[in-house]
Amino acid sequence: MSHNVNRRQFSTLTGGAALLAASGLPAVAQTPPVQSGTTGETPGARGFPEGFLWGVATAAYQIEGAWNEDGKGESIWDRYAHTPGKIKNGDTGDVAIDHYHRYKEDVALMKDIGAKAYRFSISWPRIFPDGTGQLNQKGLDFYDRLVDELKAADIEPFATLYHWDLPQVLQDRYGGWQSAETAKAFGEYAGVVAKALSDRVGHFFTINEFKQVTETAYRGVELHVQGETVRLMSAPGILLEDGPLNQVRHHAVLGHGLAVQAIRAMGRAGTKVGPAENMGHALPVIDSPEHVKAAEAATKALNIYFLGPMLEGRYDEAYLTAAGKDAPKFTDEEMKIIGAPVDFVGINVYIPLLLVMASDEPQGYREVPFSLSHPKMFSDWHRLSPESQYWAPRLLHSIWKPKEIYITENGCAASDEVAADGNIYDSDRLTYLRNGMMWQQRATAEGIPLKGSFVWSAMDNFEWINGYGDRFGIVHVDFKTQKRTPKLSAQWFKEAAWRNAVV
Ligand code: PNW
């Protein structure tokens, strides 16, 4: 039986393949052992530039568990998930996938599936249980051990400083991002982490997805997919009017800028820093100059709150005028901080917000509706758009010309049935990733400085308000036993990373 042959062939592969071999998945016999510093053959047109980083990503609250261990303070997500009715099935991140205790096994798994880089996030309340002031050394030690483990496995660490788990004390004391005090505290925390880890961590992301930190957290966001309206809310779950909400947005980009400054001041020389933003982008109906121009205008308009000010150091005049008395209050000095030069821009790419065509209207584009039958992935909100993996970096590049671009998240949830043989044949995720990477490959081939790409996610984890219902991992996690099993998509990832090409 080919199944057995593959297992036998697999066992001849060195080290890294062991876990995949144990899973007994078929059709991987040709997967060479992963050797550091070596690249596979690139099949012509589908190859990526040498050194392209094939990464996987996670975030602290979604994987770590150990929510109150080793001196960690409470975060707004601990509080939110502990509040009845907020999370599907009453799930919490108290244990999550127990990564805090299983990080060695998890790093070994990442090595097995051929990841060259790992984007993880640091839990602020582990480092500063009170938000500021007294450092919790035990919390910092965890990331120290994790980074050492990654370096030993030849996996490049990329650290996100804020992936939504604000120390609850800052929420209680200042109303969280409603106050500039939280932005200042974030800058201090960023400096301390950079000082401690930048001898080994060369890349820091400041804030993950500004929209979720601000709008979804302090207003809630409505999404319309296939005729259904989905309302998303995030911790702390506060409903603000327009003026205060704009101020929250302002404090988030201010926090980013203060963190950039602190990392430059406290980190090792050459440490790179940038945001990880879910960049709103528009797709042109057709790839022709007039429609692409329309997509540029629309994409610029979709980023007036965050990427615009961070990359230009100023707010869009039309935004300020339209907001009137609700416009954010700011100083020139703050705008300089917000616009502090970054080394790269990270973008999480999931869905296009608009489909547009050329227009003579002053705004420069006309919106075209997505049809009701436009396909979607497993998550309600997940409109299918492999081409976004090309258009998002391309539009980012044509509008703001950042030096380097990373796709900090790319992936999808899937139903992930466990087959009779114990494997997870996630054909939809595999197709999703393959097609997405085709489009990313096109971006690199056209000279867009896309340096690497992180699959969301390395492992199944706590999917915020959807709890453990939506699995995004390329490695399956049995949430009862904590057993990890690489899915079919992990084998695809391994082969693609090895070949440095779409396979
Ligand atoms: C991201 N949308 O959130 C987050 O950074 C991750 O923590 C999360 O697990 C992952 O994507 C999957 O949801 C998103 O509405 C939230 O388009 C909302 C959207 C996309 C991503």
Side-chain angles (χ1 to χ4, degrees):
M1 214 178 104
S2 67
H3 183 85
N4 292 332
V5 170
N6 281 325
R7 282 184 73 111
R8 186 155 36 75
Q9 287 172 328
F10 231 138
S11 67
T12 66
L13 302 176
T14 55
L19 270 161
L20 276 178
S23 78
L25 285 162
V28 287
Q30 69 277 33
T31 305
V34 176
Q35 291 162 14
S36 56
T38 326
T39 49
E41 252 172 67
T42 52
R46 287 169 291 130
F48 283 80
E50 208 186 318
F52 184 84
L53 279 181
W54 291 78
V56 290
T58 63
Y61 186 71
Q62 297 180 271
I63 62 164
E64 287 179 0
W67 79 280
N68 59 0
E69 278 182 47
D70 290 340
K72 176 181 167 293
E74 187 189 18
S75 79
I76 57 173
W77 265 96
D78 292 317
R79 179 72 62 92
Y80 201 63
H82 290 157
T83 307
K86 298 295 185 196
I87 315 293
K88 209 184 260 178
N89 299 319
D91 290 342
T92 75
D94 290 2
V95 178
I97 60 167
D98 197 30
H99 172 76
Y100 191 78
H101 300 114
R102 295 169 194 259
Y103 71 95
K104 285 193 178 181
E105 179 193 345
D106 290 340
V107 171
L109 253 170
M110 288 175 214
K111 189 175 168 68
D112 283 352
I113 65 174
K116 308 265 187 280
Y118 174 45
R119 171 178 178 243
F120 60 97
S121 88
I122 293 173
S123 157
W124 181 353
R126 271 196 206 289
I127 314 294
F128 288 107
D130 291 323
T132 58
Q134 187 64 42
L135 173 90
N136 175 39
Q137 189 58 45
K138 276 192 175 168
L140 194 52
D141 288 347
F142 168 67
Y143 298 104
D144 211 63
R145 294 195 296 276
L146 172 65
V147 166
D148 281 346
E149 196 72 19
L150 289 165
K151 293 300 259 189
D154 220 352
I155 298 171
E156 193 56 33
F158 282 66
T160 306
L161 290 162
Y162 188 70
H163 203 121
W164 311 356
D165 44 359
L166 187 77
Q168 179 67 41
V169 285
L170 297 181
Q171 194 66 49
D172 297 341
R173 200 180 298 152
Y174 304 126
W177 295 100
Q178 293 175 78
S179 165
E181 291 303 319
T182 293
K184 283 184 207 157
F186 181 60
E188 283 166 34
Y189 149 72
V192 168
V193 171
K195 187 168 181 212
L197 301 180
S198 63
D199 57 333
R200 287 153 293 153
V201 178
H203 297 77
F204 287 92
F205 298 106
T206 55
I207 290 177
N208 179 72
E209 295 198 357
F210 291 75
K211 183 173 171 175
Q212 310 301 332
V213 172
T214 58
E215 284 162 53
T216 319
Y218 291 84
R219 168 71 60 88
V221 174
E222 274 188 2
L223 276 181
H224 309 279
V225 180
Q226 289 190 346
E228 301 277 325
T229 300
V230 188
R231 192 174 179 82
L232 301 169
M233 192 117 213
S234 189
I238 290 169
L239 292 171
L240 291 183
E241 300 294 321
D242 290 352
L245 179 59
N246 283 334
Q247 205 59 37
V248 163
R249 291 179 172 122
H250 177 68
H251 294 147
V253 285
L254 180 61
H256 155 86
L258 289 167
V260 171
Q261 283 192 336
I263 291 166
R264 302 247 185 270
M266 309 270 283
R268 197 181 62 138
T271 302
K272 291 187 173 181
V273 57
E277 169 64 327
N278 190 327
M279 175 184 146
H281 64 277
L283 292 183
V285 278
I286 298 165
D287 186 353
S288 64
E290 69 276 23
H291 298 306
V292 173
K293 209 170 133 229
E296 275 179 10
T299 298
K300 216 166 180 298
L302 287 169
N303 290 281
I304 50 175
Y305 300 128
F306 312 116
L307 274 186
M310 288 189 285
L311 300 177
E312 297 172 23
R314 59 179 190 88
Y315 281 114
D316 178 67
E317 279 306 324
Y319 158 50
L320 296 180
T321 309
K325 66 165 180 35
D326 291 328
K329 316 265 175 294
F330 57 88
T331 64
D332 288 350
E333 178 58 22
E334 285 177 342
M335 293 317 294
K336 262 199 214 106
I337 295 167
I338 291 166
V342 294
D343 301 289
F344 55 76
V345 174
I347 47 173
N348 296 350
V349 184
Y350 290 94
I351 57 170
L353 293 184
L354 298 176
L355 180 62
V356 298
M357 54 166 49
S359 153
D360 293 332
E361 290 159 47
Q363 65 175 9
Y365 62 91
R366 204 188 99 200
E367 223 181 299
V368 176
F370 285 98
S371 80
L372 287 184
S373 58
H374 190 102
K376 69 171 196 66
M377 299 305 293
F378 186 73
S379 304
D380 294 334
W381 51 267
H382 205 160
R383 174 182 289 142
L384 182 62
S385 173
E387 54 269 65
S388 284
Q389 304 295 326
Y390 166 74
W391 286 105
R394 170 161 164 189
L395 294 166
L396 171 62
H397 183 64
S398 65
I399 300 170
W400 291 289
K401 304 242 166 353
K403 281 179 262 181
E404 295 185 347
I405 298 172
Y406 287 94
I407 289 188
T408 32
E409 290 181 23
N410 168 34
C412 64
S415 53
D416 285 340
E417 299 79 22
V418 180
D421 64 3
N423 292 313
I424 298 93
Y425 298 100
D426 54 343
S427 56
D428 46 354
R429 182 179 292 106
L430 196 160
T431 301
Y432 184 92
L433 292 175
R434 176 188 289 134
N435 282 288
M437 292 313 288
M438 285 277 224
W439 288 94
Q440 288 191 24
Q441 193 278 338
R442 175 177 166 191
T444 63
E446 290 180 10
I448 292 159
L450 178 61
K451 300 297 179 188
S453 181
F454 296 83
V455 171
W456 185 271
S457 173
M459 300 161 285
D460 289 338
N461 57 50
F462 176 83
E463 175 57 16
W464 307 112
I465 53 172
N466 287 322
Y468 295 99
D470 278 19
R471 294 172 175 273
F472 273 82
I474 57 174
V475 170
H476 181 270
V477 178
D478 179 322
F479 297 121
K480 287 202 186 76
T481 63
Q482 298 293 357
K483 182 172 181 270
R484 275 80 161 139
T485 309
K487 303 175 191 176
L488 189 60
S489 57
Q491 293 188 64
W492 173 85
F493 177 88
K494 178 174 180 154
E495 182 77 19
W498 165 253
R499 299 279 172 205
N500 197 26
V502 181
V503 291

